[in-house]
Amino acid sequence: MASIQSAEGTFDLLPDEAKFWQKFRDTAYEVFGRYGYVPIETPIFEQTSLFVRGIGEATDVVSKEMFTAISGENLKTLMGGGHIKGKSQLSLRPEGTAGVVRAVAQHALVTQGGAPVKLAYAGPMFRAERPQKGRQRQFNQVGIECLGADDPTIDAEGIIMLMRFYEAIGIPTGAMRLLVNSMGCENCRPAYREAVRTYILEHADGLCEECQRRADTNPLRAFDCKKEDCRAVMAGAPRIVDNLCDDCHDHYDAVKALLDDTGLSYVEDYTLVRGLDYYTRTVFEVQVIEGMGSQNAIGGGGRYDKLMAEIGGANTPGFGFALGYERCVLALQAHGFAFEPAQKLDFYIACVDDSVRPLAFRMLQKLRDIGYKGDIDHQHRSLKGQFKQADKLRADYVVVLGPDEVARGVAKVRNMASHNEVEVPIDQAEAIYQCFSDSAAAREAGVTE
C-alpha cells in the first residue's frame, strides 16, 4: 500500500524550520509592537460573503482561488439538490485583512474619538493556485491592519515598519526594492478605470486573452500581468498619478515626503495596482532585486478606506500590509541563509547503569523546573552511546551519574565543548545549574575544576 503524502501545494515545517517560523513571528510582533501594534487571532475560515464583498467578486482570488469549507451534512444537502444558507457558506481565508476588519467591526474596536486600532497577525492562508516555488496552496503570512485613521503618517510609518522588519530578519537592504503608487479614491478612480478600459480595448491585439477579459471585469488588473508583451503594452497606458483628484494627490505627496524625511529609498511605479479591489490611495510593494525570478514580491499593501463599509461596518479608514513567510525564506536563502538546528539542550544526564536511573530522573525534573532544557537516555544505551546521543542533541553539558558518584554524593558535570569536568554535590541543584551558565558562575558557586 502506497504511503500517504502531504496534499499538493502544502508542505511540512520540520523542526528546524518550525523554530525559525516561530522566531519570524516573534520578530514581527516585537518590531510591530514598537509602533503600537498588538496581536489578534481570527478564524481560519469565514463566511464566503465576507471575501466576495470585501476582496471583490471579479478578482482572481475570489473567482478562481478560494477553497470552500463544507460540512458533511451540508455536502449531503447539496448532493440532494438542496441549498445551503448564506451563513453556512464558508471559505478558508485567502488573505488576512478581510477577517481582521470583520472582527474590528463586529466587536466595535474603533471608538468615536479614540485612537486608531493597530493589530498584527500571523498564520496560514489558502489559495487554489498552481503550486510553484514561492507559491503554495497553504502558505503563511504576517500582516498588520490599522483602522480608524486616514492621516498620511499611518501609511508612511507602516511602510517604514515593514522595511525595518525585513532588516531585522536579515534581508539586506540593498537586496530589496520598494515600489509606491496611489490608486486614487472613489472620486477619481472611476474615470481612470474607464480610461484604462478604453486603452485596453484599443490595444487588444497586443494583449493576452486574460487582459482582454479584464477590460470588462477589472481593467486595472491588466497592469499585474507578468507576460512581457502585455507589460510592454500597458507601459503606455494612462497613468493614475495624472488622474488623481486634489485630495488624493496631496495625500500621496505627503506620504512620499514623510518617506523622504527618513531617508528611505523607493521607486514610484505608476503601474503598481496590487491584486485586491479594496485598495484606495497608497499602495506599495517590496520586491527582491535578484534570485527569485518573476515571483520576487515578498510583501506589500496599502490603504483601504472603504473596506469596512463594504462588509457592513461603519465607514472607517484603514491601512495594512501582508508579507509572505515562504517568499522571505527564499530571499534569505538567496543570500546564504540556512536554518539553525532546532534541537539544543542545556544538559543531558548520562547514567552509568540502571541503578541510578530513578535518581537521575528526579534530578532531570528538578533542573527542568528551574528552567533548563534537558533530557535523559530513554533506550538504555551504553555510557558511550549516551554521550553520542548528548552530542547529537547538542547538549552543552553532560551530568554523569554512577554508583560510585552516588556513594560519594556527587555528580560529574562535563563541558562538552572544552571536555573539562567538575564534581558537584548531588543535593545542591543550584550548584549544578550554575555550571550550566558559564565558568565564572561555576567559580562563584565554589565549584573547582
Side-chain angles (χ1 to χ4, degrees):
M1 181 181 295
S3 62
I4 298 175
Q5 304 291 307
S6 58
E8 185 180 17
T10 67
F11 56 91
D12 300 305
L13 289 182
L14 300 180
D16 293 353
E17 185 170 3
K19 188 168 185 178
F20 180 72
W21 165 233
Q22 182 182 47
K23 177 182 177 181
F24 191 91
R25 295 195 313 264
D26 291 346
T27 301
Y29 287 134
E30 192 278 323
V31 173
F32 302 164
R34 300 176 205 162
Y35 296 76
Y37 285 82
V38 294
I40 187 172
E41 297 278 349
T42 60
I44 285 178
F45 60 84
E46 301 269 2
Q47 292 187 41
T48 301
S49 58
L50 171 67
F51 304 120
V52 173
R53 290 164 61 181
I55 298 174
E57 191 166 9
T59 62
D60 288 348
V61 171
V62 170
S63 65
K64 299 179 180 180
E65 298 169 0
M66 280 205 305
F67 282 102
T68 297
I70 189 168
S71 68
E73 193 63 33
N74 282 334
L75 180 59
K76 291 178 183 178
T77 300
L78 282 179
M79 294 178 68
H83 178 71
I84 300 177
K85 294 180 180 180
K87 67 179 182 179
S88 296
Q89 295 176 10
L90 307 172
S91 292
L92 299 180
R93 62 189 186 191
E95 54 92 58
T97 299
V100 173
V101 173
R102 187 269 312 150
V104 171
Q106 179 176 335
H107 300 287
L109 298 184
V110 177
T111 58
Q112 186 70 30
V117 175
K118 293 182 170 183
L119 303 169
Y121 63 87
M125 309 294 163
F126 306 85
R127 295 188 189 181
E129 299 184 287
R130 181 174 63 85
Q132 54 185 295
K133 188 175 183 180
R135 189 182 290 273
Q136 300 292 324
R137 290 177 174 172
Q138 177 177 326
F139 54 98
N140 293 293
Q141 281 190 343
V142 170
I144 62 96
E145 314 296 344
C146 177
L147 283 302
D150 60 4
D151 196 84
T153 53
I154 293 294
D155 308 32
E157 77 169 15
I159 294 171
I160 295 165
M161 180 172 72
L162 178 57
M163 300 307 289
R164 296 292 185 263
F165 168 75
Y166 288 138
E167 294 165 3
I169 63 166
I171 301 178
T173 302
M176 297 179 288
R177 174 172 51 230
L178 170 63
L179 308 178
V180 299
N181 192 23
S182 174
M183 290 186 67
C185 66
E186 72 276 9
N187 294 322
C188 54
R189 190 156 67 185
Y192 177 65
R193 283 171 59 99
E194 185 57 33
V196 174
R197 176 180 179 276
T198 299
Y199 179 86
I200 291 174
L201 294 175
E202 290 174 348
H203 297 79
D205 290 346
L207 297 170
C208 68
E209 291 184 5
E210 182 70 10
C211 286
Q212 293 177 35
R213 181 185 64 81
R214 285 169 172 161
D216 293 318
T217 59
N218 193 346
L220 301 188
R221 286 302 311 282
F223 287 114
D224 258 352
C225 187
K226 297 296 187 285
K227 296 178 180 178
E228 290 300 324
D229 289 346
C230 294
R231 294 178 71 86
V233 171
M234 294 307 296
R239 305 192 315 172
I240 182 65
V241 72
D242 298 326
N243 293 268
L244 296 176
C245 63
D246 290 344
D247 287 344
C248 286
H249 202 287
D250 291 345
H251 186 97
Y252 185 44
D253 283 347
V255 171
K256 291 187 293 181
L258 290 165
L259 297 179
D260 291 338
D261 284 346
T262 65
L264 191 64
S265 298
Y266 59 88
V267 177
E268 290 188 74
D269 182 353
Y270 304 120
T271 67
L272 179 64
V273 294
R274 301 292 295 161
L276 308 177
D277 278 0
Y278 52 61
Y279 286 116
T280 57
R281 293 191 169 175
T282 305
V283 289
F284 67 99
E285 184 171 283
V286 182
Q287 299 177 347
V288 174
I289 297 173
E290 295 179 350
M292 292 180 60
S294 62
Q295 302 296 334
N296 64 341
I298 57 174
R303 180 160 287 282
Y304 50 82
D305 292 338
K306 302 300 176 183
L307 179 57
M308 181 80 85
E310 286 288 339
I311 65 172
N315 196 18
T316 306
F319 173 89
F321 64 67
L323 57 103
Y325 163 74
E326 291 78 13
R327 297 278 186 89
C328 287
V329 168
L330 290 176
L332 286 166
Q333 290 174 335
H335 291 85
F337 168 82
F339 298 116
E340 293 183 0
Q343 190 63 265
K344 183 72 172 69
L345 297 181
D346 295 312
F347 71 96
Y348 184 95
I349 299 182
C351 301
V352 173
D353 61 33
D354 285 350
S355 69
V356 299
R357 287 177 65 81
L359 174 60
F361 190 77
R362 292 195 300 273
M363 182 183 292
L364 174 68
Q365 307 316 315
K366 189 168 186 178
L367 291 170
R368 284 170 170 171
D369 290 343
I370 291 171
Y372 286 94
K373 293 183 291 184
D375 211 341
I376 196 172
D377 170 48
H378 299 283
Q379 296 167 296
H380 300 273
R381 293 180 175 90
S382 67
L383 187 61
K384 182 178 180 181
Q386 292 177 66
F387 268 93
K388 287 183 177 179
Q389 182 69 7
D391 196 51
K392 185 178 294 186
L393 295 174
R394 301 174 68 231
D396 289 331
Y397 293 87
V398 172
V399 179
V400 181
L401 282 179
D404 292 344
E405 286 80 16
V406 172
R408 293 189 293 115
V410 299
K412 291 180 180 178
V413 180
R414 177 180 293 188
N415 183 313
M416 292 294 282
S418 67
H419 299 292
N420 292 331
E421 282 188 356
V422 296
E423 289 191 346
V424 181
I426 290 175
D427 59 355
Q428 294 180 23
E430 67 277 4
I432 294 175
Y433 72 70
Q434 281 171 340
C435 286
F436 303 156
S437 300
D438 54 33
S439 58
R443 286 192 297 272
E444 291 172 4
V447 180
T448 58
E449 296 190 7

